[in-house]
Amino acid sequence: MATWKLGDVQVTRIEEMIGEASYPPAEYFSEFDRAVLERHLGWLAPNHYIPARNMLITSVHSWLIRTPHHTILLDACAGNHKERQWWPRFHQLNTPFLERLAAAGARPEDVDVVMCTHLHADHIGWNTVLRDGRWVPTFPNAKYVLSRKECEFWDPRGKSPELAADPGRRVAFADSVLPVLEAGQAQLVDGTHAIDDGLIVEPAPGHTDGHVLLKLSGGVFCGDVIHHPLQICMPQWNSRFCVLPDQARATRRKVLEHCAESGALLFPTHFGAPHVAAIDASARGFSARFVAAAV
Ligand SMILES: [Zn+2]
């Protein structure tokens, strides 16, 4: 189990899966340039890119953040038993995610905060589990911190009627977000929000309009602001999943600047091993200095 220490906070990576991304690089990045990939091959292979297969490596994991006051699960992967025909990598999974969480020392009832950086299907799955044929919140004692803007966008009952016609989105919201809302466990946040003094939720729009991130002393949990480490060198490159391209670039640059200036480590949701990076800035741009787990 990989754990990083930030002062008196412990951060443990809980893996759901790691492997090839669903798309080759030229389809994954909207501004892809093969010459750039070739230039960075020395550090990208084999943990972040497999040259022989021309495939990027992406991880899907949660961050278990233990502070003196809270046990937080940040981002909830894809989950088990979910109907995701439209995204084969995540269709009807059956992974030992909760066993891995237990091995890290956290039972579902120990988690008091679940936070989703956004509501794409690979960030909400473990919000719920299937029990007696019904989707129920996995973490009975947790409040689920969700961006209100994000929730309103994805809720097919709400402001985006075009989503109601998208069966995939409708299903994901219905099985992984709606049960949390109905259980009264959601805390919808607007703008900047303090979970407590040291844990700050901030808007980070671009990948989705309502995307948020979590900052604490020494770390930034950036969700999908940065999908793949190549975007540290190429912050102008968006993934195919970023819905507001210009804002996504601006937010990515802002997060990288913050990390470079403050020394905060970057904890994204999809980086391959060792999953965490410090950010250096120079006249040539940003670069990643990977930071292995302390334990
Ligand atoms: Zn994602």
Side-chain angles (χ1 to χ4, degrees), residues 9-288:
V9 175
Q10 283 193 15
V11 183
T12 302
R13 174 179 172 270
I14 311 296
E15 180 174 294
E16 182 174 71
M17 66 170 72
I18 186 163
E20 293 183 3
S22 300
Y23 301 91
E27 291 174 44
Y28 193 91
F29 297 115
S30 39
E31 298 81 4
F32 182 66
D33 175 352
R34 183 155 297 278
V36 173
L37 177 80
E38 299 287 341
R39 202 158 64 231
H40 292 283
L41 260 192
W43 63 271
L44 286 173
N47 285 3
H48 309 289
Y49 176 69
I50 308 174
R53 293 184 51 76
N54 186 35
M55 286 302 272
L56 301 165
I57 293 293
T58 56
S59 169
V60 181
H61 52 248
S62 298
W63 294 112
L64 178 67
I65 305 166
R66 279 171 285 198
T67 79
H69 309 292
H70 295 289
T71 298
I72 300 161
L73 191 82
L74 186 125
D75 280 338
C77 302
N80 276 0
H81 312 304
K82 307 241 155 153
E83 284 292 315
R84 302 286 185 262
Q85 285 100 338
W86 45 283
W87 203 348
R89 191 181 183 190
F90 301 124
H91 180 56
Q92 286 293 344
L93 297 182
N94 190 10
T95 71
F97 179 86
L98 290 181
E99 288 80 353
R100 290 176 188 150
L101 189 64
R107 300 164 302 166
E109 51 270 39
D110 298 327
V111 173
D112 66 341
V113 177
V114 176
M115 179 177 152
C116 300
T117 55
H118 62 297
L119 301 184
H120 281 162
D122 57 327
H123 295 256
I124 58 177
W126 282 104
N127 282 356
T128 58
V129 287
L130 193 57
R131 190 166 299 145
D132 302 326
R134 286 183 55 232
W135 295 106
V136 297
T138 308
F139 305 98
N141 301 320
K143 66 179 176 188
Y144 288 66
V145 175
L146 307 172
S147 152
R148 183 187 305 279
K149 191 184 259 186
E150 190 72 3
C151 244
E152 287 177 351
F153 179 80
W154 292 110
D155 188 340
R157 303 168 302 176
K159 289 179 186 167
S160 305
E162 72 273 18
L163 292 176
D166 178 340
R169 305 296 183 204
R170 196 173 56 215
V171 167
F173 190 89
D175 64 31
S176 299
V177 179
L178 199 53
V180 171
L181 299 175
E182 287 174 349
Q185 286 181 244
Q187 181 177 12
L188 302 182
V189 302
D190 302 291
T192 299
H193 168 83
I195 292 176
D196 75 13
D197 285 352
L199 297 166
I200 310 297
V201 181
E202 282 184 11
H207 179 67
T208 60
D209 193 17
H211 191 295
V212 289
L213 56 72
L214 179 69
K215 268 186 191 166
L216 52 87
S217 177
V220 179
F221 297 82
C222 69
D224 285 359
V225 169
I226 303 174
H227 262 88
H228 189 275
L230 200 43
Q231 290 172 293
I232 293 172
C233 314
M234 303 303 289
Q236 67 274 37
W237 283 15
N238 282 323
S239 79
R240 63 181 288 133
F241 310 104
C242 295
V243 297
L244 300 170
D246 291 340
Q247 264 194 304
R249 290 185 195 102
T251 295
R252 191 172 304 119
R253 201 171 277 284
K254 192 172 148 198
V255 168
L256 291 168
E257 277 165 5
H258 168 79
C259 288
E261 282 165 14
S262 69
L265 299 181
L266 188 68
F267 291 81
T269 301
H270 298 307
F271 276 22
H275 313 291
V276 174
I279 304 300
D280 294 322
S282 74
R284 295 170 55 207
F286 297 106
S287 57

